[in-house]
């Protein structure tokens, strides 16, 4: 059942890709270019970030203080600010383009400069990350050993900004992203690491991993 | 309140009917509760007014407009009522939610909760 | 097979096929009604699809002469470079999935007593219920010097997306540097009220890049227009509106802007205040009325539009006839509303086939329009019905003039407008 859903979602996204119009693809991240970008990141201001969050109506999809009200959108609360900053840059450049939802984020990031992005990142960074309290306990699948270096089993962000926090995201969202990495529709990963990791995962494994992180 | 700003103020004054010097740009708002005595609009009839954006039976996925099909009744009602009262600010949905009565929202919730959560099937042909 | 078991079977079949995404397989009873829909546009195709989704025991025929449909929503984007194929669909998919009989023909006459249509090729088609959604009729002879022939060749309207859209695009591209384009909206009501101004706004944006000294003059039959405050504000910010450097000028009907005469050879128009304006591209949008078929068959009773009962969009003149879209008497004419009307009619016919009264309708017009690549707008408009008549229950535009400038909203609503068009095309044709 879920497999069919995944296939449908995949087909569907392919179709959406075909209809999208982002024009030129920006260059992929290398560890060198990413190190440069980190150096150039302005210091974020939480208060300005809160103001921007209200002005851009982020809460419509990402919820109050970054806790998403639906499975479609990721929660941003408690996320590694560097990841948020990068995500916003990737939406603006068009590198993060999976489907038409990306076009919404692309439109919203067009008016943002780097300072705005850093401010928003700082604001979400200080919020409390959501935890799924009512989910049935799922144990970590063996294949997850490969993930935990950058995405600790606690669900928090990886050490030294190695990976974003995955805890508390919806299963639906996590599977969607894994699929996007797997099929190279999301190419925002530095050095193509997530793409090659996701390649190795079966649908069942993706599902198990997503279920585990969702409940953290 | 402060967060909602001017627009929030406008949302809170829900009974206004404004005339404008120019009929093309004037704002009209009749509180839908005034139509409560009319014959009820079915959940499907009301829900069908959403499908141009949210897809047939609310089954478009991964777009700016999220799918509505298969949403638990309570979730849909809470979202729409939060949009309607302005508690959840949105560029588009506040005015749309205000057009329906609470009973209509409940009937729509009932309709959408009974629709398949599967995406409306993937198009088999690519244009002409 | 008894009526009940057959219906149950249908229900099962129908449910299974909707889930699986396969074609809906109707099982027609002997007494299955014949619903004939004239016009394969938004109104017609929505009616066909939404009727089939709730009823597998009805024959549905759509009569449409063209083999490719071009959506009007979004077609202004084609004028400035988008590919027209993004906005086009064939009928094959709807035909297969919703088991429609598609007839590529034109309706010539309707015999309401015999409940029969006559087509251009001489075919006779019987109906139990007739849905008319043939688009608007265009009037050319109220502008001296204009004709249908000129409208098809040189003084274009591009008010039915397709061939003319591409021709007008080419005319805009061929304009000399510093050239002038005239856009002349007809008197309200006409198909898609913001579209002439959106068109002007898009072309001005395109000109800023490709023809920086070019100019657009809107010669209006109306004193004002929808989203006027937002457009004017945007034009002041971006197009030096109101100054002598303006790339858009708007002459309202109160300033005598209505076009009275066109000279296609010298490329000039004369307007009501006596001025003569020379232009390189003249885009006259004809006065809209009900489609000529409805005028010819008496459904308009000498008026501009076909009178309908807004409870179910049924004709007030002939029995078992429904009129939707551009031809119907409805305050505003948009694709969104045509779709709403089609959904109402599908439910009304379904109800009547089950000897029930049609349910209470609701008409919502949630319009998303653009002024440029960085400025989107939205209008929420709702009509309720009481005793067969429409009541405007809501009409609110955003961004509101009272709310502070919000660049995020402007940008987001552009993406939302594009997204709406994509979703809408799927709601109509998938």
């Amino acid at each position: 059942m879920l497999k069919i859903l995944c296939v449908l979602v995949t087909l569907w996204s392919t179709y959406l890709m075909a209809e999208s119009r982002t024009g030129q693809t920006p260059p992929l991240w290398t560890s060198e270019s990413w190190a440069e970008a980190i150096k150039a990141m302005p210091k974020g201001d939480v208060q300005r970030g809160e103001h921007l969050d209200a002005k851009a109506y982020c809460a419509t999809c990402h919820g109050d203080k970054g806790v998403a009200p639906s499975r479609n959108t990721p929660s941003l609360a408690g996320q590694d600010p560097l990841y948020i900053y990068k995500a916003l840059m990737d939406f603006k450049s068009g590198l993060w383009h999976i489907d038409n939802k990306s076009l919404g984020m692309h439109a919203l990031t067009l008016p943002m400069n780097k300072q705005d992005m850093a401010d928003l990142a700082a604001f979400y960074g200080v919020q409390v990350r959501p935890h799924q309290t009512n989910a049935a306990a799922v144990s970590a699948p063996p294949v997850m050993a490969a993930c935990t270096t950058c995405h600790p089993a606690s669900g928090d962000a990886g050490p030294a900004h190695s990976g974003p926090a995955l805890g508390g995201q919806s299963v639906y969202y996590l599977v969607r992203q894994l699929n996007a990495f797997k099929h190279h529709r999301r190419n925002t990963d530095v050095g193509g690491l997530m793409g090659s990791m996701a390649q190795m995962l079966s649908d069942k494994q993706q599902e198990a991993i997503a279920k585990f992180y969702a409940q953290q | 309140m402060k967060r909602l700003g001017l627009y929030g103020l406008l949302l809170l004054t829900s009974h206004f009917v404004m005339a404008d010097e120019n009929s093309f740009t004037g704002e009209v708002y009749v509180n839908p509760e005034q139509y409560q005595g009319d014959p009820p609009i079915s959940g499907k009839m009301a829900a069908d007014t959403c499908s141009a954006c949210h897809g047939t039976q609310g089954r478009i996925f991964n777009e700016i407009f999220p799918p509505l099909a298969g949403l638990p009744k309570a979730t849909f009602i809470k979202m729409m009522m939060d949009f309607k009262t302005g508690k959840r600010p949105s560029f588009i949905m506040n005015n749309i939610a205000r057009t329906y009565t609470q009973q209509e929202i409940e009937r729509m919730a009932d309709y959408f909760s009974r629709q398949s959560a599967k995406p409306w099937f993937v198009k088999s042909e690519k244009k002409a | 097979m008894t009526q009940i078991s057959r219906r149950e079977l249908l229900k099962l079949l129908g449910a299974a096929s909707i889930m699986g995404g396969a074609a809906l397989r109707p099982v027609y009873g002997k007494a299955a009604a014949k619903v004939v829909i004239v016009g394969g546009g938004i109104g017609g195709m929505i009616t066909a699809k939404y009727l089939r989704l709730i009823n597998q025991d009805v024959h549905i025929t759509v009569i449409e002469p063209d083999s490719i449909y071009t959506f009007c929503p979004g077609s202004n984007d084609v004028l400035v470079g988008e590919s027209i194929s993004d906005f086009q669909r064939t009928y094959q998919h709807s035909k297969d999935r919703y088991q429609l009989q598609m007839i590529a023909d034109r309706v010539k006459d309707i015999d309401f007593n015999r409940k029969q249509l006559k087509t251009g090729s001489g075919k006779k088609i019987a109906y139990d219920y007739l849905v008319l959604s043939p688009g608007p009729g265009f009037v050319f002879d109220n502008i001296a010097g204009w004709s249908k022939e000129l409208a098809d060749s040189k003084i274009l309207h591009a008010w039915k997306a397709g061939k003319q859209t591409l021709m007008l695009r080419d005319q805009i591209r061929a304009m000399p540097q510093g050239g002038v384009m005239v856009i002349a909206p007809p008197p309200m009501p006409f198909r898609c009220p913001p579209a002439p101004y959106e068109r002007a706004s898009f072309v001005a944006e395109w000109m800023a890049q490709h023809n920086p000294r070019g100019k657009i003059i809107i010669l209006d039959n109306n004193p004002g227009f929808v989203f006027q405050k937002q457009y004017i504000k945007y034009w002041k910010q971006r197009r030096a509106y109101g100054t002598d450097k303006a790339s858009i000028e708007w002459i309202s009907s109160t300033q005598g802007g209505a076009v009275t005469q066109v000279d296609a050879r010298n490329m000039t128009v004369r307007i009501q205040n006596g001025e003569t304006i020379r232009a390189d591209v003249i885009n006259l949008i004809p006065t809209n009325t009900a489609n000529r078929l409805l005028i010819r068959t008496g459904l308009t009773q000498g008026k501009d539009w076909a009178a309908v009962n807004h409870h179910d969009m049924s004709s007030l003149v002939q029995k078992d006839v429904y009129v939707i879209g551009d031809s119907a008497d409805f305050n505003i004419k948009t694709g969104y509303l045509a779709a709403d009307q089609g959904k109402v009619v599908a439910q009304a016919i379904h109800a009547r086939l089950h000897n029930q009264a049609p349910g209470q309708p609701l008409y919502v017009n949630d319009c998303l329009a653009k002024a440029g690549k960085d400025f989107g707008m939205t209008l929420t408009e709702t009509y309720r019905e009481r005793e067969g008549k429409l009541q405007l229950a809501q009409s609110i535009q955003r961004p509101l003039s009272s709310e502070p400038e919000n660049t995020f909203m402007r940008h987001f609503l552009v993406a939302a407008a594009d997204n709406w068009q994509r979703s809408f095309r799927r709601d109509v044709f998938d």
Side-chain angles (χ1 to χ4, degrees), chain A residues 1 4-5 8-9 11-13 15-16 18-19 50 53-57 59-65 69-72 99-105 108 172 176, chain B residues 3-4 7-8 59-71 75 79 83 87-94 116-123 125-127:
Chain A
M1 163 97 182
I4 297 173
L5 184 68
L8 277 174
V9 168
L11 282 171
W12 167 249
S13 313
Y15 146 61
L16 291 175
E19 260 208 338
E50 182 172 16
D53 170 77
K55 200 177 171 200
Y57 284 55
T60 305
C61 298
H62 293 284
D64 206 21
K65 293 196 160 77
S70 90
R71 62 177 192 166
N72 297 305
D99 53 38
N100 292 322
K101 194 164 252 162
S102 315
L103 291 179
M105 279 307 298
L108 286 167
Y172 177 80
R176 202 174 79 186
Chain B
R3 258 188 66 183
L4 294 183
Y7 189 61
R59 285 169 60 184
I60 282 228
F61 277 50
N62 286 346
E63 304 252 348
I64 282 175
F65 310 105
L68 306 174
L71 275 185
T75 311
M79 283 206 282
F83 280 134
K87 194 177 158 200
R88 189 172 170 190
S90 158
F91 292 135
I92 302 174
M93 279 309 297
N94 296 125
S116 161
K118 277 191 195 170
W120 195 248
F121 85 107
V122 178
K123 190 170 59 170
E125 67 152 1
K126 173 92 177 113
K127 290 161 292 219

Side-chain angles (χ1 to χ4, degrees), chain B:
Chain B
M1 187 56 238
K2 202 179 142 207
R3 258 188 66 183
L4 294 183
L6 265 176
Y7 189 61
L9 260 177
L10 205 60
L11 284 178
L12 292 171
T13 52
S14 57
H15 285 78
F16 74 101
V17 177
M18 273 166 64
D20 198 274
E21 73 285 354
N22 182 339
S23 63
F24 297 98
T25 55
E27 281 157 15
V28 176
Y29 181 68
V30 181
N31 189 329
E33 311 299 334
Q34 285 186 20
Y35 295 95
Q36 246 181 20
D38 288 12
I41 291 164
S42 74
K44 176 177 161 54
M45 181 67 76
D48 277 353
T49 62
C50 311
S51 59
C53 294
H54 293 274
T56 308
Q57 296 168 2
R59 285 169 60 184
I60 282 228
F61 277 50
N62 286 346
E63 304 252 348
I64 282 175
F65 310 105
L68 306 174
L71 275 185
K73 236 175 124 171
T75 311
F76 182 87
I77 293 170
K78 183 173 186 320
M79 283 206 282
M80 285 293 275
M81 291 310 287
D82 284 353
F83 280 134
K84 190 174 157 88
T85 56
K87 194 177 158 200
R88 189 172 170 190
S90 158
F91 292 135
I92 302 174
M93 279 309 297
N94 296 125
N95 282 326
I96 291 178
R98 291 169 72 220
T99 225
Y100 305 100
T101 65
Q102 184 165 345
Q103 283 80 0
E104 283 160 7
I105 288 173
E106 285 165 8
R107 285 195 288 269
M108 285 154 95
D110 185 59
Y111 172 83
F112 282 125
S113 70
R114 285 186 286 105
Q115 304 309 310
S116 161
K118 277 191 195 170
W120 195 248
F121 85 107
V122 178
K123 190 170 59 170
S124 58
E125 67 152 1
K126 173 92 177 113
K127 290 161 292 219

Side-chain angles (χ1 to χ4, degrees), chain A residues 21, chain C residues 70-84 87 157-162 164-166 168-169 172 181 183 190-206 231 283 285 369-371 373 418 421:
Chain A
R21 6 175 149 132
Chain C
T70 309
F71 274 82
C72 276
S75 64
N76 278 333
D77 284 293
V78 175
L79 295 177
V80 291
E82 291 290 338
S83 155
I84 197 166
F87 304 94
H157 54 76
W159 219 243
K160 174 179 163 55
Q164 283 216 6
T165 312
L166 296 177
L168 184 60
R169 178 196 66 188
I172 293 167
M181 175 180 183
I183 298 175
F190 56 88
R191 166 182 271 194
C192 195
Y197 314 95
E198 185 188 73
R199 178 174 287 182
S201 213
F202 285 6
V203 176
E205 186 176 47
W206 180 88
Y231 272 116
N283 175 210
I285 301 159
K370 297 185 281 185
K373 289 189 171 61
D418 290 343
Q421 288 171 14

Side-chain angles (χ1 to χ4, degrees), chain A residues 138-161:
Chain A
V138 181
S139 52
V143 65
M144 239 188 71
C147 313
T148 48
T149 318
C150 303
H151 305 285
S154 64
D156 296 323
H161 312 293

Side-chain angles (χ1 to χ4, degrees), chain C residues 85-373:
Chain C
S85 69
D86 282 356
F87 304 94
Q88 290 180 324
R89 291 299 187 90
T90 66
Y91 293 100
Q92 191 61 44
H93 172 73
S94 307
K95 178 177 187 280
D96 294 344
R97 180 161 164 78
Y98 299 109
Q99 299 289 301
L100 312 175
Q101 194 191 356
M102 296 294 308
I103 296 180
D105 211 337
R106 237 170 251 284
V107 176
K108 231 175 131 187
D109 204 5
I110 308 171
D111 185 336
F112 294 107
N113 293 325
R114 285 201 190 144
K115 300 181 87 166
Q116 203 176 58
L117 303 175
K118 229 187 277 161
T119 71
S121 67
K123 228 182 262 160
K124 284 178 181 165
I125 299 162
Y127 68 82
D128 294 309
Y129 298 99
L130 179 64
V131 183
L132 297 172
S133 183
F138 291 145
V139 178
F140 301 103
D141 58 12
N142 57 357
I143 294 176
W146 204 26
S147 62
K148 189 178 181 309
E149 290 64 42
L150 263 178
D152 285 337
S153 54
K154 194 175 180 192
I155 310 294
L156 308 168
H157 54 76
W159 219 243
K160 174 179 163 55
K163 198 175 149 200
Q164 283 216 6
T165 312
L166 296 177
M167 289 166 72
L168 184 60
R169 178 196 66 188
D170 294 344
Q171 284 189 353
I172 293 167
R173 283 182 181 171
M175 270 172 75
Q177 289 296 313
V180 172
M181 175 180 183
V182 155
I183 298 175
M188 284 277 282
F190 56 88
R191 166 182 271 194
C192 195
Y197 314 95
E198 185 188 73
R199 178 174 287 182
S201 213
F202 285 6
V203 176
E205 186 176 47
W206 180 88
M207 278 178 168
Q209 259 200 325
H210 299 96
N211 194 343
R213 285 181 295 112
K215 188 172 177 177
I216 299 180
I217 306 174
I218 304 170
L219 300 173
D220 212 327
N221 266 291
N222 302 285
F225 55 93
V226 67
F227 293 124
Q228 181 176 338
K229 286 177 182 169
Q230 292 87 342
Y231 272 116
I232 301 270
K233 187 175 176 186
Y234 183 75
W235 295 342
K236 278 182 178 162
Q237 285 173 359
R238 295 300 172 88
R239 312 288 163 231
Y241 183 83
T243 73
D244 51 5
K245 288 200 180 75
S247 59
I248 291 191
E249 194 183 335
W250 174 58
I251 305 179
S252 72
S253 61
T254 35
Q255 296 163 302
V259 172
T260 55
Q261 204 179 323
V262 61
D263 180 341
R265 192 178 306 156
N266 297 310
M267 289 301 281
T268 59
V269 290
R270 204 176 152 80
I271 57 177
Q272 215 143 39
N273 67 13
E275 252 183 90
T276 297
I277 295 163
R278 207 208 65 80
D280 301 283
V281 175
I282 299 175
N283 175 210
L284 303 181
I285 301 159
T287 297
N288 287 201
T289 63
N291 192 284
R292 230 162 287 156
L293 173 68
L294 284 91
I295 297 173
R296 224 166 41 224
T297 52
L299 289 170
T300 54
Q301 294 181 303
K303 301 213 174 77
D304 284 344
W305 314 101
V308 290
N309 178 346
H310 290 111
H311 186 62
D312 59 359
M313 300 304 290
S314 58
S315 164
L316 291 179
V317 182
Q318 296 290 348
K319 265 179 68 174
D320 303 326
V321 175
Y322 297 83
V323 182
I324 58 174
D326 297 291
S327 292
D329 186 9
F330 209 100
N331 308 27
I332 299 285
K333 286 143 203 311
T334 69
Y336 203 115
L337 279 168
D340 283 350
Q341 293 160 9
K343 292 165 187 173
V344 166
V345 168
Q347 290 200 57
I349 291 176
H350 181 67
R352 286 188 62 188
L353 288 171
H354 292 79
N355 294 318
Q356 288 160 354
Q360 187 67 16
L362 182 66
Y363 306 101
V364 167
N365 181 36
D366 292 333
C367 162
L368 282 153
K370 297 185 281 185
K373 289 189 171 61

